[in-house]
Amino acid sequence: MQALIVYFSRPGENYSVGYIEEGNAKHIAKVISKYTKAPLYELEPLTPYASDYKECVKEAVKEAKEEARPAFKNPLADINKYDVIYLCYPNWCGTFPRIVASFLAKYDFTNKIIKPMCTHEGSGMGFSERELAKTLPTATILPGLPIKGSECHKPEIEETIKEWAFKLTK
Ligand SMILES: Cc1cc2nc3c(=O)[nH]c(=O)nc-3n(C[C@H](O)[C@H](O)[C@H](O)COP(=O)(O)O)c2cc1C
């Protein structure tokens, strides 16, 4: 089984931990890669989100209301060769950021296994798993892994990530 780790993560002012150079979802994506050896693909917005937390929340709320499809920089050359997609994103307003929706709309995920990982500050996976199932009816969405962003550097989290990452059944 060939796997790919797709992540969107935002550096800058983060909830409760001040400014960070590397987003939390990116950190977890790298841990998944460390154990699975799967390659990483970063979803980068063409127009970066605000570094200021409150500004970014405003942008995210607007995008969510409009069901926006913000452009991303670097389309993937080939998704067909992958059977498993680890999809890593922060919880934004209860679900995945709209840039993830842009990514999902661009490719065919038929028969692929999707493993969502969501960093958050209290809402867990939110309704992102439900939304994934609705958006990708021909894919298999496996149970997600919610990780509190402000705790993502705790060493013991790695064991949880490792266990989850290798589970490819419901
Ligand atoms: C625009 C925005 C909206 C957010 N909405 C939520 C939310 O609804 N529920 C929640 O638990 N955390 C929310 N958060 C907190 C992030 O999910 C959390 O800080 C996460 O770890 C950020 O991951 P990242 O550093 O990879 O971007 C929000 C953060 C931002 C910037």
Side-chain angles (χ1 to χ4, degrees):
M1 286 247 197
Q2 287 257 67
L4 174 71
I5 302 161
V6 175
Y7 69 92
F8 165 70
S9 189
R10 177 185 147 274
E13 191 187 3
N14 211 266
Y15 188 87
S16 81
V17 295
Y19 279 79
I20 54 174
E21 300 245 323
E22 180 182 83
N24 299 321
K26 178 173 182 176
H27 171 71
I28 305 297
K30 284 163 68 181
V31 175
I32 298 170
S33 180
K34 175 174 141 184
Y35 291 109
T36 60
K37 310 286 180 226
L40 290 155
Y41 166 74
E42 180 172 12
L43 202 45
E44 284 185 86
L46 204 56
T47 309
Y49 290 100
S51 182
D52 179 88
Y53 186 81
K54 281 190 182 151
E55 273 310 306
C56 181
V57 170
K58 274 191 212 160
E59 292 171 347
V61 168
K62 185 170 181 288
E63 282 192 358
K65 268 192 194 146
E66 293 170 355
E67 296 188 4
R69 292 265 176 85
F72 55 98
K73 270 188 190 169
N74 46 342
L76 260 179
D78 182 15
I79 202 164
N80 292 335
K81 62 180 174 189
Y82 299 109
D83 315 291
V84 180
I85 311 284
Y86 294 91
L87 190 60
C88 306
Y89 51 84
N91 186 320
W92 276 15
C93 313
T95 186
F96 49 75
R98 291 303 300 173
I99 189 165
V100 173
S102 304
F103 174 77
L104 299 178
K106 195 171 170 72
Y107 303 100
D108 181 8
F109 292 88
T110 302
N111 296 331
K112 296 196 189 299
I113 292 174
I114 311 290
K115 282 185 66 79
M117 187 295 300
C118 180
T119 53
H120 67 95
E121 275 310 326
S123 311
M125 300 298 292
F127 53 93
S128 67
E129 288 169 296
R130 245 182 301 143
E131 217 181 326
L132 280 175
K134 210 168 92 187
T135 312
L136 305 177
T138 56
T140 302
I141 317 293
L142 291 184
L145 177 68
I147 294 186
K148 208 166 182 189
S150 48
E151 295 177 357
C152 74
H153 289 276
K154 285 188 173 172
E156 61 267 28
I157 300 260
E158 290 210 11
E159 202 49 46
T160 310
I161 297 169
K162 202 168 124 188
E163 219 172 274
W164 169 82
F166 287 107
K167 198 163 184 285
L168 294 178
T169 53
K170 287 196 181 184

